[in-house]
Amino acid sequence: MNILICYATTEGQTRKIMRFCADEMLAQGHGVELLPVSEADPIDFARYDAAILAGSVHIGAIQEELCDFASRHHARLNAMPTLFLVVSLAAAGKDGSDHAELDKIAEDFCNAAQWTPGATHHVAGAFRFSEYDFFKTWAMRYIASQYGQKVDPHSDTEYTDWDALSAVLKGWPYTA
Ligand SMILES: Cc1cc2nc3c(=O)[nH]c(=O)nc-3n(C[C@H](O)[C@H](O)[C@H](O)COP(=O)(O)O)c2cc1C
């Protein structure tokens, strides 16, 4: 199958995750086109049999540019197997209310875009202090302290569970 992988990223972790997804899909024998959403349009959906869309959560929302893309192409997306990957730090924790909030963020995104993904998965992201400016550094240190986490602002900390992601991708898109 030919698979479109289209993503939005702010600090780069979703790009890294989507490169991993592309490698997994290639290893499963699929063709892959990996596109940042900013470069995706104009796009010819006739080229693809299935699509993965991914974005990351910042201050309770996923990138608007990705939502606009899904909205513009919702009819084509709804007619093919699709997977929605939502990258966040809350996904790394075990707090039930945080996870409910993530579900709501994904649901609001899909409602706004009129897109019904075949499946939605939350993927733990990273603290990327190397990409943060002064204010983001302090904001993220504060957020980390709220969760009782000690982070080193001089290095990046990755929470992405690559094995769990690989398990999600195994056998996708399901053809049965
Ligand atoms: C300014 C800022 C706000 C964030 N807000 C949230 C949030 O509301 N909920 C959450 O779970 N993670 C939040 N995060 C964490 C990001 O989702 C996480 O760092 C993710 O890996 C970013 O992916 P990206 O590098 O592809 O943009 C925030 C990160 C930053 C820098």
Side-chain angles (χ1 to χ4, degrees):
M1 284 194 180
N2 275 329
I3 298 178
L4 166 68
I5 300 181
C6 181
Y7 66 90
T9 186
T10 304
E11 284 94 30
Q13 187 66 14
T14 307
R15 181 187 310 115
K16 181 174 178 182
I17 292 168
M18 290 308 100
R19 284 183 177 148
F20 176 86
C21 290
D23 288 345
E24 292 279 305
M25 290 291 106
L26 288 168
Q28 290 183 38
H30 299 296
V32 172
E33 189 157 5
L34 178 65
L35 290 173
V37 69
S38 56
E39 294 171 19
D41 273 319
I43 189 163
D44 178 8
F45 269 88
R47 290 159 54 91
Y48 311 111
D49 305 299
I52 299 175
L53 262 57
S56 57
V57 177
H58 287 78
I59 319 179
I62 298 158
Q63 286 90 351
E64 208 174 309
E65 194 180 10
L66 188 72
C67 191
D68 291 344
F69 176 83
S71 177
R72 274 197 300 283
H73 302 294
H74 71 270
R76 297 306 292 256
L77 289 168
N78 286 334
M80 60 171 52
T82 57
L83 191 58
F84 186 24
L85 299 179
V86 181
V87 177
S88 70
L89 278 174
K94 298 206 183 313
D95 187 308
S97 65
D98 282 351
H99 283 250
E101 179 64 20
L102 287 180
D103 287 340
K104 175 83 169 64
I105 290 167
E107 191 186 320
D108 288 349
F109 177 102
C110 293
N111 286 341
Q114 296 177 269
W115 170 43
T116 307
T120 299
H121 289 279
H122 293 284
V123 181
F127 283 111
R128 285 199 160 208
F129 285 99
S130 58
E131 303 290 330
Y132 301 157
D133 61 19
F134 178 83
F135 294 104
K136 269 193 191 179
T137 298
W138 278 100
M140 296 311 284
R141 286 182 75 170
Y142 175 74
I143 288 170
S145 73
Q146 294 296 95
Y147 287 100
Q149 285 177 8
K150 246 184 136 37
V151 290
D152 176 2
H154 303 292
S155 70
D156 296 347
T157 307
E158 187 175 81
Y159 296 96
T160 310
D161 183 339
W162 303 104
D163 290 341
L165 183 56
S166 184
V168 165
L169 298 170
K170 205 172 171 62
W172 186 88
Y174 314 113
T175 45

